[in-house]
Amino acid sequence: MNEAVEVDPVSAPNGASASTGEAAREAREHPEIETSQHRPESRSDAGTSSDAAAEAEAEPVLALRPEPVEFRVDLERIRFSSYFARLSAVTQVVPQSGVGPVMHNRLTHSLKVSAVARVIAGRLAGQQARHEAYAAGAAVADDPTGAIIARLGGCDTIVAQAAAHAHDLGHPPFGHLGERVLDRVARERLGLPEGFEGNAQTFRILTRLDTLGRDFSGLNLTAAVRAAVLKYPWTRSRWIGVTAEELPLDERPRGVGGDPVNGAEKFSAYGTDAPEMESALAAFPDIAPGLQTIECGVMDLADDIAYAIHDLDDFARAGVLQQAAVSGEFRAWLAESEELARVSSAELSAEWRRPGNSLELLWRRLTRKDDWIAERETFRDAVVRVGGELRDELLAAPYDGGIESERAVSRFTRRWIEHLRSSIVVEEFPHLRGGHIRLERSAWHEVAILKFVHQRFVLERPEHALAQRGMGRVVEDLVLGFDEWLADREIADRAPRRLIEWVDESTESLFELRAQRPELLTGDTSDAGLRRQGRSRAVLDYVSTFTDQQAVATRDSMTGAGTAIV
């Protein structure tokens, strides 16, 4: 086990790997002949940079770490994508309030994830730089953690930032709620066994749906950036038929779940996109199957940190989090933890609103899936720390929009971000559920408890149920409405042009997959079945591109809701 340490910024100006695998990391799926608007004029898409070579000769330090031009091109392509801009109109968790500063949306969340990822990656890249300097004879001491990072494929700050920018592109309208509805409707109503998954949709957008205006699909990103968004590097069907008897839950990668009928709960590629996933991962031969690359692990941790901390300050500003309820839960568990440990899970679940019960249930979920790191005393210490800081800092006084209220929120956010991003562990041979990059034990428990506060005191509030039900109905109506439209031969050709084109492309890719990689297909693989699946996938692709407001407006137009009929 190796903990990351502070980095001398001079030793890691960019964090690009100088290893022999860099060419594989920079490889793109399609050759590019046209120049890119995001590339320096001195370098063509297919050429090399004479300016960079001259700078390297003039600056010996930079010779080991040249400017990662290819990765920066990827970052700018994502930033210029209409899919990225769309995130500004997709709710993160709490809708916009009239109180205080603007609340987070998916775009601002992604930018903050990117900021956290940049700092974490910078530290790791600095350690890699020290190792490379030692290997080149330019330093007297090696950095063992940097050596591990280099062996596993390297860490580049720009790659980590690009992945952080892209990680939420696949979120449909209404976020995780919309994701669940799309998945259910796809599998139960549209004959699409793979359903819908936001992470797989992100990869699909980057590699297939978005466009550069060239004669190929997708943004044609480097292998390193494509691999860095693969949080769950498998398909849903990979886990169909795998029972708990064959492989217990605690021996499976995080996110797989335990459903042998429907397959993985979370996954990063649909069957048609699996070859592209395999191509990206091939650039990292030392990363074992089921594990994330270093840069993907950085992005994933940064996402967890931003979600756990930045969303809490939204809840405080919106007045959703109440000190009495939160403190009551934490105090009750600390006072009665020994007694609660003797109560059955069924009894705890039946009375989950009783203070203390939900925290005990959280502990049991953690130890059931992650007994390799979960520890009762560390969990208790985390409850004390998180509960105390929520009570005495973030929720000490109701948020009123004033300067002192904003300072209290900012202090809480800054302190926790600094604490968590400096609690990183690098392991060459990790537990499968932990990954090469993870939080150290105490920080891991603290993040689990912070995320519990989201779930218990925000997402599960009964007053949200009515609005959530309405949002789910909007998404379901859109999917079934567009599917019915395409099925009507008399008016199918009047459907939105992009939707029609995506039906053709999705269907064609399924037939190609049947000819080349039939083992990746699921469901009805007859000609009629593949055409049905192609239409269904295109409908999901199309509906998932809407913002929250576009979804509501389109559904109203399609169903005639709110329209006066003359």
Side-chain angles (χ1 to χ4, degrees), residues 2-248:
N2 301 277
E3 291 196 26
V5 297
E6 291 293 332
V7 174
D8 174 5
V10 175
S11 68
N14 297 306
S17 172
S19 68
T20 57
E22 193 64 19
R25 284 167 51 84
E26 292 189 0
R28 301 184 186 276
E29 193 72 8
H30 307 283
E32 297 187 6
I33 300 174
E34 300 176 44
T35 58
S36 168
Q37 62 175 321
H38 305 301
R39 198 183 304 281
E41 290 185 5
S42 61
R43 178 171 177 170
S44 68
D45 278 45
T48 58
S49 174
S50 57
D51 288 348
E55 290 173 5
E57 186 176 350
E59 295 285 347
V61 174
L62 290 180
L64 287 174
R65 301 195 156 274
E67 170 67 22
V69 174
E70 297 304 319
F71 302 145
R72 189 168 293 281
V73 168
D74 286 357
L75 175 59
E76 298 307 326
R77 285 180 176 178
I78 293 167
R79 285 173 170 169
F80 274 68
S81 169
S82 61
Y83 288 88
F84 185 63
R86 164 189 169 269
L87 296 178
S88 66
V90 178
T91 297
Q92 172 68 2
V93 178
V94 179
Q96 179 61 47
S97 166
V99 179
V102 173
M103 310 294 278
H104 289 108
N105 52 51
R106 287 284 166 187
L107 179 61
T108 56
H109 166 73
S110 296
L111 293 174
K112 292 191 175 186
V113 173
S114 183
V116 175
R118 177 182 57 81
V119 175
I120 296 174
R123 289 180 172 178
L124 301 182
Q127 293 179 284
Q128 181 186 346
R130 285 196 288 271
H131 163 70
E132 290 174 349
Y134 172 79
V140 296
D142 197 2
D143 188 306
T145 299
I148 293 173
I149 294 168
R151 285 195 293 271
L152 293 173
C155 183
D156 186 287
T157 57
I158 305 299
V159 171
Q161 283 184 275
H165 272 63
H167 83 283
D168 266 353
L169 294 181
H171 265 287
F174 313 120
H176 290 297
L177 172 67
E179 182 180 19
R180 290 192 297 272
V181 173
L182 287 176
D183 184 52
R184 174 180 57 79
V185 174
R187 290 187 289 112
E188 296 178 1
R189 305 287 296 276
L190 299 187
L192 198 60
E194 286 188 300
F196 181 92
E197 213 283 340
N199 294 283
Q201 196 67 21
T202 290
F203 192 67
R204 185 170 175 81
I205 287 169
L206 294 174
T207 60
R208 191 177 293 267
L209 300 182
D210 208 345
T211 179
L212 293 172
R214 314 282 179 89
D215 59 355
F216 49 75
S217 301
L219 295 183
N220 201 31
L221 304 177
T222 61
V225 172
R226 281 179 281 143
V229 299
L230 296 170
K231 292 173 66 172
Y232 309 101
W234 51 79
T235 61
R236 172 168 254 165
S237 62
R238 158 68 180 81
W239 294 92
I240 291 177
V242 182
T243 65
E245 289 73 26
E246 295 176 70
L247 193 65

Side-chain angles (χ1 to χ4, degrees), residues 70 261 378 514:
E70 297 304 319
V261 176
T378 308
R514 187 177 67 178

